[in-house]
Amino acid sequence: MSEYAFRKINIDALDEDVLLPSDLYDPDPRGPDGVLSDAQRKAGEVRNLVSRGDIPGALNTILSEPPYGDGVDEAKDLTKNSLLLILNSTRASEIPTILKSLGQEQQDHLMAYIYKGMAAIGQGSDVSGSVLLNWHAQLTEVAGVGCIVRVMADRRTL
Amino acid sequence: MSAPEVFQLSLGPLTGIAFSPDRSQVCVCPNSNEAQIYTRNGDSWDLTDTLAEHDKLITAIAWGPNTNRIVTCSQDRNAYVWTHTEQGWKPALVILKINRAATSVKWSPSENKFAVGSGSRAIAICHFDEENNWWTAKQIKKPLRSTVLSLDWHPNNYLLAAGTADGRTYVYSGYIKGLEAKPEATIWGDRLPTGQLLAEFKSPNGGWVHDVAFSPSGDALAFVAHDSSLTIIYASGPNEPPAAHIVVKLPSLPFTNLTWTSESSIVAAGHDCQPILFTGSPSGWAISHSLDDPSSTSKPLTPTATGIRSGGGGVGRLGNNEAFNMFKAADSKGQRGLPGTGAATTSSGLTPVGSDGMLLTVHQNTITHVEAYEWNQNGEVSKIFTAGRDGRLVVWPVTGGKGGLSGRMAGLQV
């Protein structure tokens, strides 16, 4: 049996020049603490804006400089929940105009969060599948399949 | 505007393609370990030579227009240089010293050397060593971190651009000491020893860089990446930030290839199966139009060799039922509405599908290669050719990107 032991060696751990996933993007310049405090501040702002009915403002706030990468899970959760709150609080008739007012990068971030929301449906959080599918269809109309491709290709996972 | 010429050279993908300098012959690899040379015979192509030396799939072919030499590189980690003699094409092995597949190959503008990109995170610049009578290579390894997917030479014969799978584009010096005179300073760099990294750029969302190309003057560099983006960089001076770094994020599927047709226009093609023309300047770039008009219903272009599927035959008595076919189309092809009313696409960039299942674009699958075919008197490209995974070779006239396009813009489907 010892002659097969070599098959269990993790060869990538021994390779000095191995390319790690973290090499493929630059980490968030704010650092984990800065990211968390930003996310908490934005979550509070979003709650205010949504209660006042200012959906475009809320989306603008939450989709600018979202937390990404490793080590910022709490911030990511906060951001995701704030965004789902916004999505659920928007009237369906207003969605197209709101989407057109977003910048291109914000549209890409929104698509990423829509997919993240869809992944969370099974885990018992209060997301409605039809709301997400509606947003997804409208966003694809506005931003195109290129938006979806960018979400899939980007290593800076939101 | 004349219609594009379409040739079905193979039923499977064409993995490598290169034309002879006078465009009377084309060397292709039909997804196998052999390269085939076809000679033009009126409206079709006849197989005249087969170049069989590689053990594995040939990944790229380049034909030097001045020296008439073909270089092929393959997944078997080798490259061969083929020279034409009376007895046919004779191969000469190139010692690349790579331990993974070769992915791309390009002759330099003066054809005294060529560059091979490989999966072993290295670029091999090969030249003919007269003393030992063999082709030998110099490797560039630093700081390549991943597979080299594409290469392009600068018109000055020294600089080399490489696109890699870690989402970066590099500009290196490909100067070979002993082969040529020392290079002069250029806008990209002033110290140019072999393998010196002069510039590095990232794709906007981390997508693999599928193709890179220098502009005809060499002052600008464009690359397309898998995150559906086209980036154009205008250099300003050695060790200085670029004069312009323009990113066009596209609403369509990613491009896999591009070529400059003039100093201010680029044709790019890829997973949307149609070549798209972009125009711009250091102040900005934008989509001009698609060279393929999928909304035009007259299609005399479909070559008969494709074996068009006979549409219409259905399952028993439900076969001709309109309602049944409507739901069948919605289920299998994603078509909304009745077939025959035109498979209208949304602006979301989905390639339109006709009612018989064939795509409405000329190419039926991803376009894998775009290159210049013919030049006009100003030096601009007047025709380009594309080859794709559907085995088709298509020659397109490049319609200008200026004026008189209002009718086409209305039907623009990207």
Side-chain angles (χ1 to χ4, degrees), chain B residues 1 22 66 75 98 139 169 173 186 221 224 290 300 399 404:
Chain B
M1 186 191 75
D22 57 359
N66 301 329
Q75 286 177 355
I98 54 179
Q139 286 204 351
T169 307
S173 159
T186 69
L221 177 66
V224 281
S290 163
T399 51

Side-chain angles (χ1 to χ4, degrees), chain B residues 360-413:
Chain B
L360 291 180
T361 50
V362 173
H363 272 289
Q364 294 297 304
N365 207 325
T366 309
I367 295 177
T368 51
H369 201 100
V370 178
E371 220 180 293
Y373 182 79
E374 212 174 80
W375 289 261
N376 61 17
Q377 298 95 315
N378 310 345
E380 291 179 355
V381 177
S382 58
K383 284 195 184 171
I384 51 142
F385 72 89
T386 57
R389 294 217 192 109
D390 51 358
R392 285 192 187 173
L393 166 64
V394 184
V395 179
W396 307 84
V398 180
T399 51
K402 338 172 218 322
L405 292 173
S406 40
R408 302 199 52 147
M409 293 302 245
L412 179 65
Q413 296 174 352

Side-chain angles (χ1 to χ4, degrees), chain A residues 81-136:
Chain A
N81 291 334
S82 309
L83 186 92
L84 290 172
L85 171 68
I86 302 174
L87 296 188
N88 283 327
S89 323
T90 319
R91 271 187 288 272
S93 51
E94 293 174 7
I95 294 180
T97 19
I98 293 176
L99 288 177
K100 292 206 182 81
S101 70
L102 290 175
Q104 193 165 41
E105 225 180 284
Q106 292 174 324
Q107 286 171 344
D108 291 346
H109 291 321
L110 177 60
M111 184 61 90
Y113 279 114
I114 291 175
Y115 276 111
K116 205 168 168 183
M118 289 187 198
I121 288 178
Q123 269 84 31
S125 59
D126 57 345
V127 280
S128 147
S130 64
V131 164
L132 286 173
L133 279 175
N134 191 21
W135 275 92
H136 185 278

